[in-house]
Amino acid sequence: MNRRYRKTIIAGNWKMNMTASGIKSFMQELKPLLPSPKPCEIVLCTPAVMVQNMVKFGKDCKVAAGAEDVSKYEKGAYTGEVSADMLKDIGAKYCIVGHSERRQYHHEDDMLVNAKAKALIEKNIIPIICVGESLEQREMDLTIEYITYQVKAALSGITAAQLRHVVIAYEPIWAIGTGKTATSEQAQEVCCAIRGVIRKMYGARPARSVSILYGGSMNAKNAAELLAQPDIDGGLIGGASLKTADFATIVKATMQ
């Protein structure tokens, strides 16, 4: 982490878990476990139907509400889609785009991720743009090349001024939900490379200000070691964000 130049963020991704009615009790349990004052930006991203309750009950814990996906369309005959304007209206501050599960199960490509990020930026919602390689790509020594392309595609057409309101999350696909985690050195290498790509695109100062999160099975046990790396500015937390004690431990790890 480098607090001098950029924000430290711990963002939970609940995926398709929990319910809106359970958020109040979750927050009541989480609140006494969190350090005061708050050491970092804390975010919990939920399905869109739960964002409003996250806004309501997260306020007391100073937890920002985020969504897990958004439509690239502003409005229209797109049954089942949720627009950035709708998310803004119910109080979402952040939104995940390009998560590997969206890419895998819904066949979302880099151009769609770029369109979604732009839709969010237009409504002043901070996109958390996910990038990451498969195990096959890593074993073929293509990690940096593939990540470079993903970052360039995701940021295409986004200005330096808009970049100030963008977060990148590196989530090696082979480490999501598998219990496997990139070593701190592997995670740092890729996050440093991501910052290098941004530096070539925008210059040193904008690159220095972008928060880059690690999102591959960060948990209560490994968070401190990962967060000690200079180019890892927080975490995109999956399963551990559903457990109040574990999530609070990860938040506390940002104090070291």
Side-chain angles (χ1 to χ4, degrees):
M1 296 179 294
N2 190 327
R3 295 180 186 275
R4 180 180 177 186
Y5 295 117
R6 47 192 176 263
K7 185 182 294 185
T8 301
I9 303 169
I10 298 297
N13 177 16
W14 278 9
K15 306 189 180 183
M16 199 173 69
N17 293 293
M18 306 284 279
T19 61
S21 61
I23 291 176
K24 181 179 180 179
S25 60
F26 182 92
M27 287 300 170
Q28 288 173 336
E29 186 177 324
L30 178 65
K31 183 179 179 180
L33 302 177
L34 293 174
S36 183
K38 187 174 65 170
C40 63
E41 176 88 331
I42 306 171
V43 185
L44 281 172
C45 297
T46 70
V49 294
M50 296 159 63
V51 168
Q52 212 159 4
N53 269 20
M54 184 60 71
V55 172
K56 179 179 179 180
F57 297 113
K59 191 177 298 183
D60 195 37
C61 294
K62 296 183 179 178
V63 172
E68 296 176 2
D69 190 36
V70 69
S71 175
K72 72 173 183 177
Y73 299 108
E74 184 176 357
K75 60 182 178 180
Y78 304 104
T79 301
E81 293 278 81
V82 176
S83 72
D85 199 40
M86 293 173 182
L87 294 179
K88 183 68 175 179
D89 187 59
I90 58 174
K93 184 177 178 182
Y94 289 83
C95 183
I96 299 168
V97 292
H99 192 279
S100 62
E101 290 158 4
R102 298 293 309 179
R103 294 176 187 261
Q104 179 181 355
Y105 303 139
H106 300 274
H107 310 291
E108 296 191 359
D109 61 20
D110 294 291
M111 298 303 101
L112 179 56
V113 173
N114 174 253
K116 289 184 174 187
K118 288 177 178 175
L120 291 167
I121 291 168
E122 188 176 334
K123 298 300 179 180
N124 296 314
I125 298 173
I126 298 170
I128 301 175
I129 301 173
C130 298
V131 298
E133 83 283 16
S134 67
L135 181 59
E136 182 181 20
Q137 288 162 339
R138 174 162 282 274
E139 289 178 340
M140 292 177 67
D141 200 26
L142 294 173
T143 294
I144 302 302
E145 288 81 356
Y146 186 66
I147 297 292
T148 296
Y149 171 77
Q150 284 188 309
V151 172
K152 286 184 174 180
L155 297 179
S156 177
I158 292 174
T159 68
Q162 292 171 327
L163 184 70
R164 297 172 57 191
H165 306 288
V166 170
V167 173
I168 305 291
Y170 167 53
E171 42 153 35
I173 298 170
W174 49 272
I176 300 171
T178 63
K180 296 179 180 179
T181 310
T183 65
S184 55
E185 292 80 11
Q186 288 173 322
Q188 164 60 20
E189 178 187 20
V190 179
C191 290
C192 180
I194 290 170
R195 201 174 304 284
V197 173
I198 297 172
R199 187 180 299 112
K200 288 181 180 178
M201 294 177 70
Y202 296 95
R205 183 172 292 180
R208 195 169 58 188
S209 67
V210 174
S211 295
I212 300 175
L213 315 184
Y214 175 72
S217 295
M218 182 184 283
N219 56 51
K221 294 182 179 178
N222 61 31
E225 181 180 352
L226 287 163
L227 292 168
Q229 302 303 311
D231 287 293
I232 298 178
D233 306 304
L236 181 59
I237 316 301
S241 69
L242 296 164
K243 303 173 183 177
T244 54
D246 287 358
F247 191 60
T249 297
I250 296 170
V251 170
K252 291 174 185 175
T254 67
M255 301 169 68
Q256 300 180 21

